[in-house]
Amino acid sequence: DADVTQTPRNRITKTGKRIMLECSQTKGHDRMYWYRQDPGLGLRLIYYSFDVKDINKGEISDGYSVSRQAQAKFSLSLESAIPNQTALYFCATSDLGANNEQFFGPGTRLTVL
Amino acid sequence: AQSVAQPEDQVNVAEGNPLTVKCTYSVSGNPYLFWYVQYPNRGLQFLLKYITGDNLVKGSYGFEAEFNKSQTSFHLKKPSALVSDSALYFCAVSWARITDKLIFGTGTRLQVFP
């Protein structure tokens, strides 16, 4: 089984709908992250969590919210989806310390019509 | 501001030839540098990292990278490219501060031709 899983893998929705993307990990890491990937822009950090009681905004948090339900689960919500939120979304986890690599899920491709 | 630059959107190389994917960075303090690879329809996979010590770092799939502090660069290299190396490569940097966040470059698409 994959260490970091994301559901759904693909989602098409309409403008104004609420969407939740879920992430689970079995690596036992405290730190979890949500990124979005757009062509030519690389990965940009939306939110990150260093433990269950710690949630922080990243560089592009507007229009998004998150919930850290447990050490292993970190979900991303779009309260009212808009077309420019069409992107590839990745969840990642890491161990404590800036010198540790992050482990990525397979991604969720979200299309907002 | 902390940043990472990958100056080439795409790098083309013939199979068997050496390859280089460039990365430069700007951070205050000592950087931690990473390379990730993304194959089609997959998440990012960790290739290698520089934390401290030897400037030449060896990683997965025969890749290596050289940390050059004076030029603030961390170029990814491989002596002999394979067609299967064709993918999107991301350089990333973090540093020993409270946030422990990664900043990613915009990515370089490597195309290896048979």
Side-chain angles (χ1 to χ4, degrees):
Chain A
D1 288 342
D3 293 323
V4 185
T5 57
Q6 292 182 235
T7 56
R9 293 294 311 278
N10 288 282
R11 183 72 182 268
I12 300 174
T13 191
K14 295 182 179 180
T15 298
K17 294 291 187 180
R18 184 178 187 273
I19 296 296
M20 179 181 286
L21 310 183
E22 298 184 340
C23 176
S24 294
Q25 53 111 347
T26 58
K27 298 193 72 66
H29 290 160
D30 284 326
R31 304 191 167 199
M32 298 188 74
Y33 311 80
W34 275 105
Y35 293 91
R36 66 176 279 175
Q37 182 182 13
D38 299 276
L41 296 179
L43 273 74
R44 293 181 292 167
L45 184 63
I46 306 172
Y47 271 95
Y48 59 103
S49 169
F50 284 170
D51 63 43
V52 175
K53 297 181 180 179
D54 178 79
I55 302 289
N56 303 279
K57 293 183 177 180
E59 61 181 298
I60 54 163
S61 60
D62 288 348
Y64 301 94
S65 62
V66 290
S67 174
R68 186 78 184 267
Q69 300 95 326
Q71 186 205 37
K73 296 184 181 298
F74 191 37
S75 60
L76 175 73
S77 293
L78 288 67
E79 298 300 326
S80 180
I82 56 176
N84 75 0
Q85 291 177 313
T86 294
L88 191 53
Y89 290 84
F90 287 104
C91 174
T93 75
S94 73
D95 210 344
L96 174 69
N99 57 340
N100 285 302
E101 60 270 28
Q102 293 183 11
F103 294 84
F104 286 80
T108 295
R109 186 169 296 280
L110 177 66
T111 302
V112 183
L113 302 176
Chain B
Q2 327 294 351
S3 65
V4 178
Q6 294 182 242
E8 302 155 317
D9 290 336
Q10 180 154 331
V11 170
N12 299 317
V13 64
E15 188 174 32
N17 283 0
L19 69 87
T20 298
V21 182
K22 296 179 180 178
C23 173
T24 59
Y25 66 92
S26 174
V27 299
S28 56
N30 295 320
Y32 301 135
L33 295 153
F34 302 80
W35 275 102
Y36 290 83
V37 59
Q38 184 181 26
Y39 297 102
N41 301 313
R42 302 282 296 276
L44 277 71
Q45 297 177 32
F46 168 74
L47 271 181
L48 50 79
K49 65 181 177 182
Y50 172 82
I51 303 301
T52 187
D54 194 346
N55 290 340
L56 184 63
V57 179
K58 294 187 183 297
S60 306
Y61 311 121
F63 284 93
E64 58 188 28
E66 186 168 11
F67 172 64
N68 187 316
K69 188 172 184 177
S70 63
Q71 297 186 4
T72 63
S73 67
F74 189 57
H75 301 332
L76 182 70
K77 300 181 179 183
K78 188 174 182 180
S80 179
L82 299 173
V83 172
S84 57
D85 293 329
S86 299
L88 188 57
Y89 290 81
F90 289 97
C91 181
V93 64
S94 67
W95 59 102
R97 297 293 185 189
I98 298 173
T99 58
D100 288 3
K101 291 185 295 183
L102 271 180
I103 296 177
F104 284 86
T106 53
T108 298
R109 185 164 300 281
L110 173 66
Q111 190 71 47
V112 181
F113 295 95

